[in-house]
């Protein structure tokens, strides 16, 4: 992916009316982009640039928050709507397409800034290649990825693909993996300590100027993503992840006061504000905000846990036990092993 540079503006460097300073060094220009590289106040471990949750978290971030952040920064994107994506706003596209692949909208903002400077620019320069996705260094962008919405979709989808490989214990398409030493293009000998770091180098295979141990000082590189992400993280009140309780039975994170009837013992458990479930009871709590009970199956002649998939004797169609005990259509269950509420807990064919 094309390496872009974020202008790290320091007050002393932009004071109005200041003339040349005796002994001042010449600005360093990024050899890939031609943009000026300024010194960062913080540098990062090249082996641990970002944590996994920095890239895959932030799922609570809203379109309204991203819109406010763009306005706060005087961004051109604050008023932009993409005609190729049903005239959706830039903020909506950033949030919706990022979350579609479980990628953090905050990370996506950092990626946009690092590749095109659009988050803090009042002009539309580089709009069509906002995230540098499908835009190799030294050449133009692939036509299918040109356009703001396409760029967000491309970037989120590729990053999710890298994590899918890493989660499965494989290397990414570029050969990066946690614990595996590999050379960047600087070159630096890097051993990623997190999946996020391995994914970043897959996207942009340069360490760059903002790492402690190594990196070409005339390239922004992946270390630039850590700089931008952490500055954006503290520049706005993004809130925090809501408290949830993950249920193996439901295959989902339940909100506080959410309830589930356990597949192991049929006991009801409710999510507490501490992120823990109650010990369990034989009756459903009266204060459940959402629930995953067992569903009664006429085909089987008994009740079954949430997510169970059954082929109905009435119409031969597949259904899955879902939220609030409702059976939901699951036509792909026999081939994919899953339905509208996730992987089938068990499958029962006629």
């Amino acid at each position: 992916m094309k390496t872009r540079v974020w202008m790290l503006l320091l007050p002393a460097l932009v004071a109005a009316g200041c003339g040349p300073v005796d002994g001042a060094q010449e600005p360093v220009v990024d050899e890939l982009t031609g943009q000026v590289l300024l010194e960062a106040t913080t540098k990062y471990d090249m082996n641990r640039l970002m944590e996994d949750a920095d890239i895959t978290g932030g799922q609570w971030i809203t379109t309204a928050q991203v819109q406010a952040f763009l306005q706060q920064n005087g961004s051109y994107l604050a008023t932009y709507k993409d005609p190729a994506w049903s005239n959706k706003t830039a903020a909506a596209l950033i949030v919706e397409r990022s979350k579609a692949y479980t990628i953090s909208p905050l990370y996506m903002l950092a990626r946009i800034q690092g590749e095109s400077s659009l988050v803090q620019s009042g002009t539309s320069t580089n709009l069509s290649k906002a995230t540098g996705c499908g835009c190799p260094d030294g050449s133009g962008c692939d036509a299918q990825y040109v356009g703001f919405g396409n760029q967000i979709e491309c970037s989120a989808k590729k990053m999710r693909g890298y994590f899918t490989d890493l989660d499965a214990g494989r290397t990414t398409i570029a050969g990066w993996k946690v614990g595996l030493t590999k050379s960047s293009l600087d070159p630096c000998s890097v051993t990623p300590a997190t999946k996020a770091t391995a994914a970043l180098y897959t996207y942009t295979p340069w360490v760059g100027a903002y790492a402690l141990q190594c990196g070409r000082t005339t390239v922004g590189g992946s270390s630039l993503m850590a700089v931008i992400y952490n500055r954006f993280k503290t520049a706005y009140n993004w809130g925090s992840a809501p408290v949830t309780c993950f249920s193996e039975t439901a295959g989902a994170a339940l909100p506080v006061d959410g309830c589930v009837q356990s597949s192991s013992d049929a006991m009801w458990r409710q999510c507490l504000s501490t992120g823990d479930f109650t010990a369990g009871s034989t009756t459903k709590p009266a204060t459940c905000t959402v629930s995953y009970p067992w569903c009664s199956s006429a085909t089987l002649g008994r009740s079954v846990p949430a997510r169970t998939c059954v082929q109905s004797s009435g119409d031969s169609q597949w259904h899955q036990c879902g939220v609030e005990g409702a059976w939901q259509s699951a036509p792909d269950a026999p081939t994919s092993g899953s339905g509208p509420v996730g992987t089938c807990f068990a499958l029962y064919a006629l």
Side-chain angles (χ1 to χ4, degrees):
M1 307 299 165
K2 185 173 285 296
T3 305
R4 289 284 174 184
V5 176
W6 186 44
M7 298 295 286
L8 304 175
L9 299 179
L10 303 178
L13 296 176
V14 295
C18 290
V21 179
D22 291 339
Q25 295 181 346
E26 289 295 321
V28 178
V29 177
D30 189 305
E31 64 185 52
L32 297 179
T33 66
Q35 299 186 64
V36 175
L37 280 171
L38 298 180
E39 184 177 356
T41 56
T42 302
K43 291 196 173 186
Y44 294 85
D45 180 351
M46 69 178 183
N47 299 308
R48 198 182 192 99
L49 293 176
M50 293 173 67
E51 300 303 313
D52 296 348
D54 294 338
I55 293 181
T56 62
Q59 299 304 298
W60 66 88
I61 293 175
T62 67
T63 296
Q65 287 177 309
V66 171
Q67 178 64 32
F69 186 69
L70 294 174
Q71 292 173 338
Q72 173 181 301
N73 283 277
S75 174
Y76 171 83
L77 297 177
T79 57
Y80 178 73
K81 296 180 179 181
D82 192 334
W85 284 77
S86 303
N87 280 321
K88 288 187 176 181
T89 65
L93 287 169
I94 290 168
V95 173
E96 291 175 12
R97 301 325 303 157
S98 295
K99 289 186 178 181
Y101 296 99
T102 322
I103 297 299
S104 169
L106 178 54
Y107 158 76
M108 189 60 67
L109 284 166
R111 175 59 66 183
I112 294 168
Q113 180 63 21
E115 299 286 349
S116 62
S117 300
L118 280 166
V119 174
Q120 295 189 305
S121 171
T123 69
S124 61
T125 303
N126 297 318
L127 181 68
S128 64
K129 48 185 178 182
T131 65
C133 192
C135 307
D137 293 326
S139 62
C141 299
D142 189 313
Q144 67 179 314
Y145 301 130
V146 173
F148 185 78
N150 292 340
Q151 281 284 290
I152 304 303
E153 172 77 8
C154 174
S155 186
K157 185 176 182 179
K158 285 187 180 295
M159 189 59 72
R160 172 45 51 195
Y162 304 156
F163 268 87
T164 296
D165 286 335
L166 293 165
D167 288 341
R170 300 187 294 266
T171 63
T172 66
I173 190 173
W176 291 95
K177 183 180 179 180
V178 174
L180 180 65
T181 301
K182 181 176 170 61
S183 181
S184 67
L185 296 182
D186 300 84
C188 302
S189 184
V190 181
T191 307
T194 63
K195 295 172 187 175
T197 301
L200 288 173
Y201 285 126
T202 301
Y203 201 103
T204 303
W206 298 80
V207 173
Y210 305 97
L212 292 168
Q213 308 95 321
C214 181
R216 189 172 298 185
T217 58
T218 55
V219 173
S222 283
S223 59
L224 181 60
M225 284 299 103
V227 174
I228 302 173
Y229 175 85
N230 283 289
R231 286 182 66 102
F232 280 8
K233 183 178 180 179
T234 58
Y236 183 84
N237 182 15
W238 299 103
S240 58
V243 174
T244 59
C245 304
F246 185 80
S247 165
E248 294 289 348
T249 295
L254 274 63
V256 173
D257 291 333
C259 302
V260 61
Q261 189 177 12
S262 175
S263 59
S264 62
D265 57 12
M267 296 288 283
W268 279 97
R269 293 176 171 82
Q270 187 170 33
C271 180
L272 300 174
S273 60
T274 57
D276 302 309
F277 280 108
T278 55
S281 64
T282 56
T283 58
K284 179 181 177 180
T287 56
C288 298
T289 54
V290 64
S291 65
Y292 288 82
W294 287 32
C295 297
S296 177
S297 169
T299 297
L300 299 177
R302 58 187 173 86
S303 294
V304 291
R307 294 192 294 117
T308 299
C309 296
V310 178
Q311 188 179 17
S312 172
S313 59
D315 58 11
S316 297
Q317 300 300 305
W318 282 87
H319 303 273
Q320 185 176 42
C321 176
V323 181
E324 308 303 340
W327 286 100
Q328 299 184 37
S329 177
D332 297 328
T335 55
S336 68
S338 63
V341 291
T343 302
C344 297
F345 173 75
L347 291 100
Y348 294 94
L350 293 176

